[in-house]
Amino acid sequence: MSGQKRLLLVGGHPSPATSRYQNSMISRAEKIGAACISLCDRVTQGKFDVAAEQQLLVDADRIILSFPFYWYSYPAIMKQWMEDVFLPGFAYAAGGDKLVGKEFIVFTTIGAPEHAYHAAGFNNYTLDELLRPIEQSIRYVGGVYLPPFAIYRSLFIPQNELDKQCDKAMEHLARSFRTKRQLYADMIREAEQLYVPLAMQAHDSTPGTTLASKP
């Protein structure tokens, strides 16, 4: 897939030198041909070079937003980057079509276990629910929001387990995704394939015989 899609990994950790995850992700992503940036290295006197950041986005087909999950969202530096770079005339409003059709994937690390992100868990909501503002921002600019990838218990897992999770993240980054319409069509096709033999069994059943009783 990396030979077909131009990949851009945007690292949004506010302290990348202390992050096991971001460093591991960037080194792996570079090996499969992705362009990788760390936002902390892109700021000069508190500002981004907007034109340079926009060009990186224009040149990419699939954009990975990689960040630790801070207060149920992305860190302030990634929020600033989006506010500074996703401007009218570029990302939305008149002439703002430069991100239309581009794919976005959220990669995030979460300190708590996965079961905490559930209606019965202590964080009350699923990760998908908590990522809704980011998803909506991507959809608003015409982007394609792909399924996110999360590493849970990131504060506690040993390095070898973190490495395995980062390898899985790379597989997720490089995979092909079917559209919702395609997934729905697959389900209907499977249902139709199953329905034919069931219908034939029902037709062939003798009076008083149910499908459940047939061998």
Side-chain angles (χ1 to χ4, degrees):
M1 201 285 308
S2 58
Q4 301 171 356
K5 301 260 186 189
R6 297 169 298 173
L7 307 174
L8 172 65
L9 188 145
V10 181
H13 199 293
S15 303
T18 65
S19 171
R20 296 185 299 162
Y21 166 76
Q22 179 158 304
N23 296 334
S24 186
M25 284 291 297
I26 286 178
S27 65
R28 282 168 167 76
E30 287 176 339
K31 288 179 181 178
I32 64 172
C36 299
I37 61 172
S38 174
L39 294 183
C40 282
D41 298 333
R42 312 284 292 182
V43 177
T44 302
Q45 296 182 338
K47 296 182 179 181
F48 290 101
D49 182 337
V50 174
E53 302 303 308
Q54 289 179 342
Q55 189 59 51
L56 284 172
L57 292 168
V58 168
D59 292 340
D61 300 310
R62 178 174 290 180
I63 299 145
I64 299 90
L65 304 178
S66 176
F67 56 88
F69 208 45
Y70 277 18
W71 286 107
Y72 309 105
S73 186
Y74 40 41
I77 191 167
M78 182 161 278
K79 186 174 191 299
Q80 178 191 346
W81 176 76
M82 292 188 74
E83 290 178 349
D84 289 355
V85 176
F86 287 35
L87 295 177
F90 174 78
Y92 67 98
D97 59 356
K98 306 304 184 294
L99 300 179
V100 172
K102 293 187 181 293
E103 299 174 339
F104 288 80
I105 302 179
V106 167
F107 280 2
T108 189
T109 53
I110 298 174
E114 187 172 1
H115 64 72
Y117 289 86
H118 187 273
F122 58 77
N123 280 314
N124 301 306
Y125 301 98
T126 66
L127 179 61
D128 282 338
E129 289 174 309
L130 293 169
L131 288 175
R132 287 287 182 261
I134 299 175
E135 177 182 354
Q136 175 56 22
S137 296
I138 291 169
R139 293 189 185 282
Y140 184 77
V141 299
V144 179
Y145 182 81
L146 297 177
F149 184 92
I151 298 179
Y152 293 92
R153 300 187 72 254
S154 59
L155 297 176
F156 310 107
I157 58 178
Q159 186 64 46
N160 64 331
E161 179 60 28
L162 180 66
D163 290 339
K164 291 179 182 177
Q165 291 297 316
C166 288
D167 288 339
K168 290 181 179 179
M170 288 300 103
E171 294 174 3
H172 187 79
L173 181 158
R175 62 177 281 204
S176 296
F177 293 87
R178 296 180 68 75
T179 66
K180 292 179 181 179
R181 183 177 294 276
Q182 290 170 330
L183 292 171
Y184 181 75
D186 290 345
M187 182 192 72
I188 295 300
R189 190 178 303 109
E190 181 181 3
E192 289 174 342
Q193 290 171 348
L194 292 172
Y195 175 77
V196 173
L198 287 175
M200 291 176 63
Q201 288 183 43
H203 179 75
D204 293 338
S205 296
T206 58
T209 303
T210 65
L211 290 176
S213 67
K214 294 177 71 67

